[in-house]
Amino acid sequence: MAVPGRAPGPDGAAPAGPPYGALRYGLRIGVVGWVLSRVPTPRRNPFALGYLAVLAATTCFSCLADPELVRHLQQLSSSDGHNLLHHPVRALLLSGFWVAGPVWMPYLWAFAFTVAPLERRVGSARAAAVFAAGHVAATLLSQAVVLVAVCTGRLDPQALDSLDIGVSYGVLASLGALAGLLGPRGRLLALGGAGLMIVDQIVSDQDLVTGVGHPAALLVGISLWRWLRRGPGRPTRARGPKRVQSARRGRAAVLDRA
């Protein structure tokens, strides 16, 4: 029997030599191959890696540039109530190009376990649409709650100018969408973990904006399950057996000749 990775000899037996081909074959079909097939690459995950590169650039800039300049740019990019009322497109777009804090590494893992696997399953365009939908919808809803709270006197008017930047809404929307593409156990694990993180954040932080925005973003991802499960370019199901269709085409050809 020939060993995988070696060319058989004239008599059909594997030639002598070190079994490196068999070793490579075993790694390729084993756990290492399973892991390597899920590591984000520019070919499989252009959206996730490109977005991470942008976040890395803005994070390095915020750490190295003049603090006053960084604060000014972040305030211009903030999706707070004041900016949404006067510059909605700029606020919604640029607020997602910063991370909330000076540390970038947690977002690498967040993208690796949410955005990247979603992108592998549904494609870059749909993954970007899910991310954008979660970011925009959760931002608008959370800031609308802040606006109502200010108008009713429950919050100080300065809450409309509080800095609101980050990508957590897009990440949670991606996680919610990804859960719908997993099996029952994976879905339960993903949604249960997301729910625990949201509850812990609400209890410990007690921030109204993220307390509304995080569960809203997760629900946005869940609401897109049906759209994502259809998949792009799915072939139409045949109406009958191939033999019946062939017979019908044959009869049509006879009638045409007649």
Tab-separated table of all heavy atoms in Angstrom, residues 99-165:
chain	number	residue	atom	x	y	z
A	99	VAL	N	-11.260	52.411	18.914
A	99	VAL	CA	-11.576	51.467	19.986
A	99	VAL	C	-11.780	52.259	21.262
A	99	VAL	O	-11.183	53.315	21.458
A	99	VAL	CB	-10.463	50.419	20.169
A	99	VAL	CG1	-10.291	49.595	18.915
A	99	VAL	CG2	-9.149	51.066	20.578
A	100	ALA	N	-12.644	51.733	22.110
A	100	ALA	CA	-12.938	52.410	23.371
A	100	ALA	C	-11.855	52.065	24.388
A	100	ALA	O	-11.993	51.140	25.183
A	100	ALA	CB	-14.312	52.000	23.881
A	101	GLY	N	-10.758	52.812	24.353
A	101	GLY	CA	-9.650	52.567	25.258
A	101	GLY	C	-8.337	52.485	24.501
A	101	GLY	O	-8.304	52.480	23.269
A	102	PRO	N	-7.230	52.380	25.216
A	102	PRO	CA	-5.913	52.380	24.571
A	102	PRO	C	-5.418	51.001	24.157
A	102	PRO	O	-4.331	50.880	23.595
A	102	PRO	CB	-5.003	52.966	25.659
A	102	PRO	CG	-5.631	52.515	26.941
A	102	PRO	CD	-7.115	52.479	26.692
A	103	VAL	N	-6.192	49.934	24.436
A	103	VAL	CA	-5.730	48.564	24.189
A	103	VAL	C	-6.446	48.019	22.950
A	103	VAL	O	-7.683	48.051	22.870
A	103	VAL	CB	-5.990	47.655	25.398
A	103	VAL	CG1	-5.447	46.258	25.136
A	103	VAL	CG2	-5.354	48.253	26.654
A	104	TRP	N	-5.639	47.490	22.023
A	104	TRP	CA	-6.183	46.959	20.766
A	104	TRP	C	-6.330	45.447	20.778
A	104	TRP	O	-7.209	44.893	20.096
A	104	TRP	CB	-5.250	47.382	19.629
A	104	TRP	CG	-5.560	46.783	18.293
A	104	TRP	CD1	-6.498	47.223	17.390
A	104	TRP	CD2	-4.945	45.636	17.687
A	104	TRP	NE1	-6.501	46.428	16.262
A	104	TRP	CE2	-5.551	45.446	16.424
A	104	TRP	CE3	-3.941	44.758	18.095
A	104	TRP	CZ2	-5.179	44.415	15.567
A	104	TRP	CZ3	-3.569	43.727	17.245
A	104	TRP	CH2	-4.188	43.562	15.993
A	105	MET	N	-5.525	44.731	21.540
A	105	MET	CA	-5.453	43.283	21.473
A	105	MET	C	-6.790	42.587	21.734
A	105	MET	O	-7.120	41.600	21.052
A	105	MET	CB	-4.393	42.756	22.440
A	105	MET	CG	-4.115	41.263	22.303
A	105	MET	SD	-3.566	40.803	20.643
A	105	MET	CE	-1.971	41.629	20.611
A	106	PRO	N	-7.619	43.020	22.697
A	106	PRO	CA	-8.902	42.323	22.885
A	106	PRO	C	-9.772	42.310	21.633
A	106	PRO	O	-10.520	41.347	21.420
A	106	PRO	CB	-9.564	43.120	24.015
A	106	PRO	CG	-8.429	43.728	24.763
A	106	PRO	CD	-7.400	44.045	23.733
A	107	TYR	N	-9.661	43.337	20.803
A	107	TYR	CA	-10.473	43.378	19.595
A	107	TYR	C	-9.960	42.386	18.554
A	107	TYR	O	-10.729	41.938	17.702
A	107	TYR	CB	-10.495	44.793	19.036
A	107	TYR	CG	-11.177	45.755	19.983
A	107	TYR	CD1	-10.440	46.488	20.909
A	107	TYR	CD2	-12.559	45.900	19.978
A	107	TYR	CE1	-11.062	47.347	21.796
A	107	TYR	CE2	-13.192	46.756	20.858
A	107	TYR	CZ	-12.438	47.477	21.765
A	107	TYR	OH	-13.061	48.321	22.648
A	108	LEU	N	-8.680	42.057	18.614
A	108	LEU	CA	-8.155	41.021	17.731
A	108	LEU	C	-8.858	39.701	18.006
A	108	LEU	O	-9.315	39.011	17.070
A	108	LEU	CB	-6.647	40.876	17.938
A	108	LEU	CG	-5.981	39.675	17.244
A	108	LEU	CD1	-6.092	39.799	15.732
A	108	LEU	CD2	-4.520	39.562	17.674
A	109	TRP	N	-8.979	39.334	19.276
A	109	TRP	CA	-9.661	38.089	19.621
A	109	TRP	C	-11.154	38.187	19.364
A	109	TRP	O	-11.783	37.199	18.950
A	109	TRP	CB	-9.390	37.740	21.088
A	109	TRP	CG	-7.950	37.506	21.363
A	109	TRP	CD1	-7.107	38.295	22.098
A	109	TRP	CD2	-7.145	36.418	20.879
A	109	TRP	NE1	-5.840	37.772	22.113
A	109	TRP	CE2	-5.830	36.611	21.371
A	109	TRP	CE3	-7.414	35.297	20.092
A	109	TRP	CZ2	-4.799	35.729	21.104
A	109	TRP	CZ3	-6.383	34.411	19.815
A	109	TRP	CH2	-5.089	34.631	20.320
A	110	ALA	N	-11.731	39.357	19.609
A	110	ALA	CA	-13.167	39.518	19.352
A	110	ALA	C	-13.487	39.317	17.875
A	110	ALA	O	-14.450	38.630	17.518
A	110	ALA	CB	-13.614	40.906	19.814
A	111	PHE	N	-12.670	39.893	16.999
A	111	PHE	CA	-12.884	39.722	15.563
A	111	PHE	C	-12.595	38.285	15.141
A	111	PHE	O	-13.274	37.737	14.265
A	111	PHE	CB	-11.996	40.695	14.782
A	111	PHE	CG	-12.623	42.026	14.538
A	111	PHE	CD1	-12.888	42.897	15.587
A	111	PHE	CD2	-12.950	42.432	13.252
A	111	PHE	CE1	-13.462	44.129	15.371
A	111	PHE	CE2	-13.538	43.668	13.013
A	111	PHE	CZ	-13.791	44.520	14.083
A	112	ALA	N	-11.575	37.668	15.743
A	112	ALA	CA	-11.195	36.312	15.355
A	112	ALA	C	-12.295	35.308	15.664
A	112	ALA	O	-12.455	34.318	14.937
A	112	ALA	CB	-9.905	35.907	16.070
A	113	PHE	N	-13.091	35.551	16.724
A	113	PHE	CA	-14.103	34.584	17.128
A	113	PHE	C	-15.518	34.993	16.742
A	113	PHE	O	-16.466	34.233	17.005
A	113	PHE	CB	-14.040	34.355	18.639
A	113	PHE	CG	-12.840	33.564	19.071
A	113	PHE	CD1	-11.763	34.194	19.672
A	113	PHE	CD2	-12.775	32.203	18.855
A	113	PHE	CE1	-10.646	33.466	20.065
A	113	PHE	CE2	-11.665	31.467	19.240
A	113	PHE	CZ	-10.593	32.101	19.843
A	114	THR	N	-15.699	36.157	16.123
A	114	THR	CA	-17.046	36.577	15.726
A	114	THR	C	-17.089	36.986	14.256
A	114	THR	O	-17.735	36.333	13.441
A	114	THR	CB	-17.536	37.746	16.600
A	114	THR	OG1	-16.615	38.853	16.484
A	114	THR	CG2	-17.637	37.338	18.056
A	115	VAL	N	-16.405	38.066	13.912
A	115	VAL	CA	-16.491	38.603	12.554
A	115	VAL	C	-15.846	37.664	11.532
A	115	VAL	O	-16.414	37.409	10.462
A	115	VAL	CB	-15.840	39.995	12.490
A	115	VAL	CG1	-15.959	40.579	11.077
A	115	VAL	CG2	-16.473	40.940	13.507
A	116	ALA	N	-14.660	37.130	11.850
A	116	ALA	CA	-13.952	36.271	10.896
A	116	ALA	C	-14.724	34.993	10.577
A	116	ALA	O	-14.898	34.649	9.399
A	116	ALA	CB	-12.550	35.954	11.417
A	117	PRO	N	-15.221	34.211	11.565
A	117	PRO	CA	-16.003	33.031	11.208
A	117	PRO	C	-17.297	33.346	10.479
A	117	PRO	O	-17.729	32.594	9.610
A	117	PRO	CB	-16.275	32.348	12.549
A	117	PRO	CG	-15.792	33.251	13.602
A	117	PRO	CD	-14.941	34.297	12.996
A	118	LEU	N	-17.915	34.480	10.833
A	118	LEU	CA	-19.123	34.877	10.098
A	118	LEU	C	-18.784	35.180	8.646
A	118	LEU	O	-19.518	34.779	7.729
A	118	LEU	CB	-19.755	36.101	10.768
A	118	LEU	CG	-20.989	36.680	10.067
A	118	LEU	CD1	-22.144	35.692	10.111
A	118	LEU	CD2	-21.395	38.008	10.696
A	119	GLU	N	-17.677	35.866	8.422
A	119	GLU	CA	-17.265	36.208	7.062
A	119	GLU	C	-16.950	34.953	6.250
A	119	GLU	O	-17.252	34.887	5.058
A	119	GLU	CB	-16.054	37.130	7.105
A	119	GLU	CG	-15.619	37.646	5.737
A	119	GLU	CD	-14.458	38.605	5.819
A	119	GLU	OE1	-13.871	38.742	6.916
A	119	GLU	OE2	-14.132	39.227	4.787
A	120	ARG	N	-16.344	33.948	6.849
A	120	ARG	CA	-16.048	32.708	6.137
A	120	ARG	C	-17.320	32.000	5.695
A	120	ARG	O	-17.340	31.337	4.660
A	120	ARG	CB	-15.228	31.766	7.021
A	120	ARG	CG	-13.780	32.155	7.176
A	120	ARG	CD	-12.949	30.987	7.703
A	120	ARG	NE	-13.448	30.473	8.970
A	120	ARG	CZ	-13.038	30.900	10.152
A	120	ARG	NH1	-12.149	31.881	10.232
A	120	ARG	NH2	-13.515	30.370	11.259
A	121	ARG	N	-18.385	32.148	6.455
A	121	ARG	CA	-19.617	31.431	6.141
A	121	ARG	C	-20.520	32.185	5.171
A	121	ARG	O	-21.202	31.558	4.353
A	121	ARG	CB	-20.395	31.146	7.436
A	121	ARG	CG	-19.779	30.046	8.281
A	121	ARG	CD	-20.426	30.000	9.656
A	121	ARG	NE	-20.025	28.822	10.430
A	121	ARG	CZ	-18.892	28.719	11.087
A	121	ARG	NH1	-18.029	29.722	11.086
A	121	ARG	NH2	-18.598	27.614	11.759
A	122	VAL	N	-20.568	33.501	5.266
A	122	VAL	CA	-21.546	34.248	4.457
A	122	VAL	C	-20.899	35.181	3.449
A	122	VAL	O	-21.606	35.801	2.639
A	122	VAL	CB	-22.503	35.047	5.368
A	122	VAL	CG1	-23.208	34.124	6.345
A	122	VAL	CG2	-21.757	36.152	6.123
A	123	GLY	N	-19.576	35.345	3.479
A	123	GLY	CA	-18.915	36.243	2.551
A	123	GLY	C	-18.654	37.608	3.160
A	123	GLY	O	-19.282	38.008	4.155
A	124	SER	N	-17.747	38.335	2.531
A	124	SER	CA	-17.331	39.633	3.079
A	124	SER	C	-18.445	40.666	3.033
A	124	SER	O	-18.617	41.450	3.975
A	124	SER	CB	-16.114	40.143	2.298
A	124	SER	OG	-15.048	39.239	2.390
A	125	ALA	N	-19.222	40.690	1.945
A	125	ALA	CA	-20.257	41.712	1.804
A	125	ALA	C	-21.328	41.569	2.876
A	125	ALA	O	-21.741	42.550	3.512
A	125	ALA	CB	-20.882	41.635	0.407
A	126	ARG	N	-21.775	40.342	3.096
A	126	ARG	CA	-22.816	40.139	4.103
A	126	ARG	C	-22.291	40.329	5.518
A	126	ARG	O	-23.003	40.829	6.394
A	126	ARG	CB	-23.420	38.743	3.956
A	126	ARG	CG	-24.280	38.603	2.712
A	126	ARG	CD	-25.095	37.345	2.738
A	126	ARG	NE	-26.074	37.355	1.664
A	126	ARG	CZ	-27.177	36.618	1.663
A	126	ARG	NH1	-27.428	35.803	2.668
A	126	ARG	NH2	-28.016	36.672	0.659
A	127	ALA	N	-21.054	39.923	5.758
A	127	ALA	CA	-20.471	40.157	7.076
A	127	ALA	C	-20.363	41.647	7.362
A	127	ALA	O	-20.646	42.103	8.480
A	127	ALA	CB	-19.104	39.491	7.164
A	128	ALA	N	-19.943	42.424	6.366
A	128	ALA	CA	-19.863	43.876	6.542
A	128	ALA	C	-21.247	44.478	6.758
A	128	ALA	O	-21.417	45.418	7.555
A	128	ALA	CB	-19.192	44.503	5.323
A	129	ALA	N	-22.262	43.943	6.071
A	129	ALA	CA	-23.625	44.449	6.244
A	129	ALA	C	-24.139	44.173	7.649
A	129	ALA	O	-24.791	45.027	8.261
A	129	ALA	CB	-24.543	43.809	5.203
A	130	VAL	N	-23.856	42.988	8.176
A	130	VAL	CA	-24.267	42.668	9.552
A	130	VAL	C	-23.580	43.601	10.539
A	130	VAL	O	-24.211	44.143	11.454
A	130	VAL	CB	-23.934	41.201	9.874
A	130	VAL	CG1	-24.150	40.912	11.362
A	130	VAL	CG2	-24.791	40.267	9.033
A	131	PHE	N	-22.286	43.781	10.373
A	131	PHE	CA	-21.515	44.645	11.268
A	131	PHE	C	-22.068	46.071	11.229
A	131	PHE	O	-22.287	46.691	12.279
A	131	PHE	CB	-20.053	44.633	10.845
A	131	PHE	CG	-19.106	45.244	11.835
A	131	PHE	CD1	-18.428	44.440	12.745
A	131	PHE	CD2	-18.879	46.608	11.862
A	131	PHE	CE1	-17.546	45.001	13.669
A	131	PHE	CE2	-18.013	47.181	12.773
A	131	PHE	CZ	-17.341	46.373	13.680
A	132	ALA	N	-22.292	46.594	10.038
A	132	ALA	CA	-22.795	47.965	9.900
A	132	ALA	C	-24.206	48.100	10.462
A	132	ALA	O	-24.529	49.099	11.126
A	132	ALA	CB	-22.769	48.380	8.432
A	133	ALA	N	-25.047	47.105	10.224
A	133	ALA	CA	-26.418	47.159	10.739
A	133	ALA	C	-26.429	47.191	12.257
A	133	ALA	O	-27.185	47.964	12.871
A	133	ALA	CB	-27.216	45.963	10.219
A	134	GLY	N	-25.608	46.363	12.879
A	134	GLY	CA	-25.550	46.375	14.339
A	134	GLY	C	-25.025	47.690	14.882
A	134	GLY	O	-25.557	48.225	15.860
A	135	HIS	N	-23.970	48.213	14.249
A	135	HIS	CA	-23.378	49.473	14.706
A	135	HIS	C	-24.372	50.628	14.587
A	135	HIS	O	-24.556	51.406	15.535
A	135	HIS	CB	-22.124	49.761	13.893
A	135	HIS	CG	-21.463	51.058	14.228
A	135	HIS	ND1	-20.759	51.264	15.394
A	135	HIS	CD2	-21.414	52.246	13.555
A	135	HIS	CE1	-20.294	52.497	15.436
A	135	HIS	NE2	-20.683	53.116	14.328
A	136	VAL	N	-25.023	50.729	13.452
A	136	VAL	CA	-25.930	51.860	13.216
A	136	VAL	C	-27.195	51.743	14.059
A	136	VAL	O	-27.598	52.697	14.737
A	136	VAL	CB	-26.279	51.946	11.714
A	136	VAL	CG1	-27.378	52.976	11.473
A	136	VAL	CG2	-25.047	52.301	10.899
A	137	ALA	N	-27.836	50.581	14.029
A	137	ALA	CA	-29.111	50.425	14.743
A	137	ALA	C	-28.931	50.585	16.244
A	137	ALA	O	-29.713	51.284	16.908
A	137	ALA	CB	-29.720	49.064	14.415
A	138	ALA	N	-27.909	49.955	16.812
A	138	ALA	CA	-27.703	50.050	18.255
A	138	ALA	C	-27.308	51.464	18.679
A	138	ALA	O	-27.714	51.946	19.739
A	138	ALA	CB	-26.628	49.049	18.693
A	139	THR	N	-26.528	52.139	17.842
A	139	THR	CA	-26.151	53.525	18.155
A	139	THR	C	-27.369	54.433	18.171
A	139	THR	O	-27.571	55.224	19.107
A	139	THR	CB	-25.130	54.034	17.129
A	139	THR	OG1	-23.938	53.249	17.211
A	139	THR	CG2	-24.789	55.492	17.391
A	140	LEU	N	-28.198	54.331	17.138
A	140	LEU	CA	-29.378	55.196	17.058
A	140	LEU	C	-30.350	54.916	18.207
A	140	LEU	O	-30.906	55.851	18.801
A	140	LEU	CB	-30.070	55.001	15.711
A	140	LEU	CG	-29.289	55.479	14.478
A	140	LEU	CD1	-30.066	55.165	13.210
A	140	LEU	CD2	-28.982	56.972	14.570
A	141	LEU	N	-30.553	53.646	18.522
A	141	LEU	CA	-31.487	53.313	19.594
A	141	LEU	C	-30.975	53.786	20.950
A	141	LEU	O	-31.719	54.383	21.737
A	141	LEU	CB	-31.724	51.800	19.618
A	141	LEU	CG	-32.663	51.298	20.711
A	141	LEU	CD1	-34.048	51.913	20.557
A	141	LEU	CD2	-32.755	49.768	20.679
A	142	SER	N	-29.698	53.543	21.238
A	142	SER	CA	-29.158	53.940	22.541
A	142	SER	C	-29.158	55.453	22.708
A	142	SER	O	-29.494	55.965	23.786
A	142	SER	CB	-27.748	53.380	22.713
A	142	SER	OG	-26.878	53.870	21.697
A	143	GLN	N	-28.817	56.175	21.656
A	143	GLN	CA	-28.810	57.632	21.768
A	143	GLN	C	-30.228	58.196	21.798
A	143	GLN	O	-30.460	59.262	22.387
A	143	GLN	CB	-28.023	58.232	20.598
A	143	GLN	CG	-26.530	57.977	20.672
A	143	GLN	CD	-25.887	58.572	21.903
A	143	GLN	OE1	-26.337	59.601	22.438
A	143	GLN	NE2	-24.818	57.937	22.377
A	144	ALA	N	-31.179	57.499	21.193
A	144	ALA	CA	-32.574	57.935	21.307
A	144	ALA	C	-33.059	57.799	22.749
A	144	ALA	O	-33.790	58.664	23.258
A	144	ALA	CB	-33.448	57.098	20.373
A	145	VAL	N	-32.643	56.735	23.428
A	145	VAL	CA	-33.000	56.564	24.841
A	145	VAL	C	-32.367	57.671	25.682
A	145	VAL	O	-33.000	58.220	26.600
A	145	VAL	CB	-32.553	55.174	25.332
A	145	VAL	CG1	-32.734	55.050	26.841
A	145	VAL	CG2	-33.335	54.084	24.619
A	146	VAL	N	-31.110	58.025	25.379
A	146	VAL	CA	-30.454	59.118	26.094
A	146	VAL	C	-31.199	60.427	25.867
A	146	VAL	O	-31.404	61.222	26.808
A	146	VAL	CB	-28.983	59.241	25.648
A	146	VAL	CG1	-28.348	60.498	26.236
A	146	VAL	CG2	-28.200	58.015	26.076
A	147	LEU	N	-31.611	60.682	24.631
A	147	LEU	CA	-32.333	61.914	24.318
A	147	LEU	C	-33.647	61.988	25.083
A	147	LEU	O	-34.005	63.049	25.631
A	147	LEU	CB	-32.588	61.987	22.808
A	147	LEU	CG	-33.351	63.219	22.310
A	147	LEU	CD1	-32.584	64.495	22.637
A	147	LEU	CD2	-33.609	63.109	20.819
A	148	VAL	N	-34.378	60.872	25.158
A	148	VAL	CA	-35.631	60.851	25.915
A	148	VAL	C	-35.368	61.094	27.397
A	148	VAL	O	-36.103	61.830	28.069
A	148	VAL	CB	-36.353	59.505	25.696
A	148	VAL	CG1	-37.541	59.374	26.634
A	148	VAL	CG2	-36.810	59.377	24.246
A	149	ALA	N	-34.301	60.487	27.919
A	149	ALA	CA	-33.968	60.672	29.327
A	149	ALA	C	-33.605	62.120	29.633
A	149	ALA	O	-33.948	62.647	30.693
A	149	ALA	CB	-32.825	59.745	29.717
A	150	VAL	N	-32.931	62.782	28.705
A	150	VAL	CA	-32.581	64.192	28.896
A	150	VAL	C	-33.839	65.061	28.837
A	150	VAL	O	-34.025	65.981	29.657
A	150	VAL	CB	-31.547	64.635	27.842
A	150	VAL	CG1	-31.375	66.154	27.867
A	150	VAL	CG2	-30.212	63.947	28.083
A	151	CYS	N	-34.700	64.770	27.876
A	151	CYS	CA	-35.918	65.577	27.726
A	151	CYS	C	-36.862	65.422	28.918
A	151	CYS	O	-37.607	66.362	29.245
A	151	CYS	CB	-36.643	65.192	26.441
A	151	CYS	SG	-35.757	65.635	24.934
A	152	THR	N	-36.851	64.268	29.550
A	152	THR	CA	-37.712	64.051	30.709
A	152	THR	C	-37.047	64.438	32.024
A	152	THR	O	-37.643	64.274	33.096
A	152	THR	CB	-38.140	62.569	30.774
A	152	THR	OG1	-36.970	61.731	30.788
A	152	THR	CG2	-39.002	62.207	29.575
A	153	GLY	N	-35.821	64.939	31.971
A	153	GLY	CA	-35.135	65.387	33.162
A	153	GLY	C	-34.433	64.320	33.954
A	153	GLY	O	-33.927	64.586	35.049
A	154	ARG	N	-34.345	63.097	33.450
A	154	ARG	CA	-33.691	62.018	34.178
A	154	ARG	C	-32.175	62.037	33.988
A	154	ARG	O	-31.454	61.404	34.768
A	154	ARG	CB	-34.256	60.670	33.729
A	154	ARG	CG	-35.734	60.514	34.037
A	154	ARG	CD	-36.232	59.131	33.682
A	154	ARG	NE	-37.643	58.972	34.021
A	154	ARG	CZ	-38.335	57.842	33.850
A	154	ARG	NH1	-37.719	56.768	33.354
A	154	ARG	NH2	-39.605	57.797	34.188
A	155	LEU	N	-31.695	62.705	32.954
A	155	LEU	CA	-30.261	62.839	32.716
A	155	LEU	C	-29.925	64.292	32.494
A	155	LEU	O	-30.754	65.087	32.014
A	155	LEU	CB	-29.820	62.019	31.497
A	155	LEU	CG	-29.648	60.505	31.665
A	155	LEU	CD1	-29.211	59.891	30.341
A	155	LEU	CD2	-28.641	60.168	32.754
A	156	ASP	N	-28.697	64.645	32.823
A	156	ASP	CA	-28.208	66.001	32.588
A	156	ASP	C	-28.024	66.217	31.085
A	156	ASP	O	-27.638	65.287	30.363
A	156	ASP	CB	-26.872	66.188	33.303
A	156	ASP	CG	-26.440	67.647	33.296
A	156	ASP	OD1	-25.744	68.031	32.336
A	156	ASP	OD2	-26.792	68.365	34.243
A	157	PRO	N	-28.278	67.409	30.555
A	157	PRO	CA	-28.083	67.671	29.123
A	157	PRO	C	-26.670	67.381	28.622
A	157	PRO	O	-26.473	67.149	27.420
A	157	PRO	CB	-28.427	69.159	28.991
A	157	PRO	CG	-29.383	69.421	30.111
A	157	PRO	CD	-28.919	68.549	31.233
A	158	GLN	N	-25.690	67.376	29.509
A	158	GLN	CA	-24.323	67.065	29.087
A	158	GLN	C	-24.182	65.625	28.584
A	158	GLN	O	-23.200	65.290	27.924
A	158	GLN	CB	-23.356	67.294	30.250
A	158	GLN	CG	-23.226	68.755	30.663
A	158	GLN	CD	-22.243	68.944	31.803
A	158	GLN	OE1	-21.752	67.968	32.394
A	158	GLN	NE2	-21.960	70.188	32.127
A	159	ALA	N	-25.169	64.774	28.882
A	159	ALA	CA	-25.117	63.393	28.407
A	159	ALA	C	-25.175	63.327	26.889
A	159	ALA	O	-24.704	62.354	26.294
A	159	ALA	CB	-26.265	62.581	29.009
A	160	LEU	N	-25.731	64.360	26.253
A	160	LEU	CA	-25.791	64.376	24.793
A	160	LEU	C	-24.427	64.620	24.168
A	160	LEU	O	-24.272	64.469	22.950
A	160	LEU	CB	-26.771	65.462	24.322
A	160	LEU	CG	-28.242	65.226	24.672
A	160	LEU	CD1	-29.079	66.431	24.269
A	160	LEU	CD2	-28.753	63.964	23.983
A	161	ASP	N	-23.432	65.022	24.958
A	161	ASP	CA	-22.086	65.264	24.447
A	161	ASP	C	-21.076	64.236	24.950
A	161	ASP	O	-19.876	64.397	24.733
A	161	ASP	CB	-21.612	66.673	24.858
A	161	ASP	CG	-22.437	67.761	24.196
A	161	ASP	OD1	-22.753	67.623	23.003
A	161	ASP	OD2	-22.773	68.748	24.886
A	162	SER	N	-21.543	63.183	25.613
A	162	SER	CA	-20.626	62.171	26.123
A	162	SER	C	-20.005	61.397	24.959
A	162	SER	O	-20.698	61.035	23.995
A	162	SER	CB	-21.364	61.198	27.050
A	162	SER	OG	-21.876	61.886	28.175
A	163	LEU	N	-18.713	61.138	25.054
A	163	LEU	CA	-17.985	60.457	23.983
A	163	LEU	C	-18.548	59.053	23.766
A	163	LEU	O	-18.692	58.274	24.702
A	163	LEU	CB	-16.496	60.379	24.344
A	163	LEU	CG	-15.560	59.849	23.248
A	163	LEU	CD1	-15.504	60.828	22.084
A	163	LEU	CD2	-14.165	59.625	23.821
A	164	ASP	N	-18.876	58.747	22.519
A	164	ASP	CA	-19.438	57.444	22.171
A	164	ASP	C	-18.730	56.928	20.918
A	164	ASP	O	-19.104	57.263	19.793
A	164	ASP	CB	-20.947	57.542	21.932
A	164	ASP	CG	-21.586	56.175	21.714
A	164	ASP	OD1	-20.953	55.165	22.062
A	164	ASP	OD2	-22.715	56.121	21.177
A	165	ILE	N	-17.694	56.120	21.107
A	165	ILE	CA	-16.943	55.528	20.001
A	165	ILE	C	-16.735	54.046	20.309
A	165	ILE	O	-16.921	53.607	21.444
A	165	ILE	CB	-15.575	56.208	19.793
A	165	ILE	CG1	-14.750	56.170	21.081
A	165	ILE	CG2	-15.740	57.631	19.289
A	165	ILE	CD1	-13.336	56.708	20.936
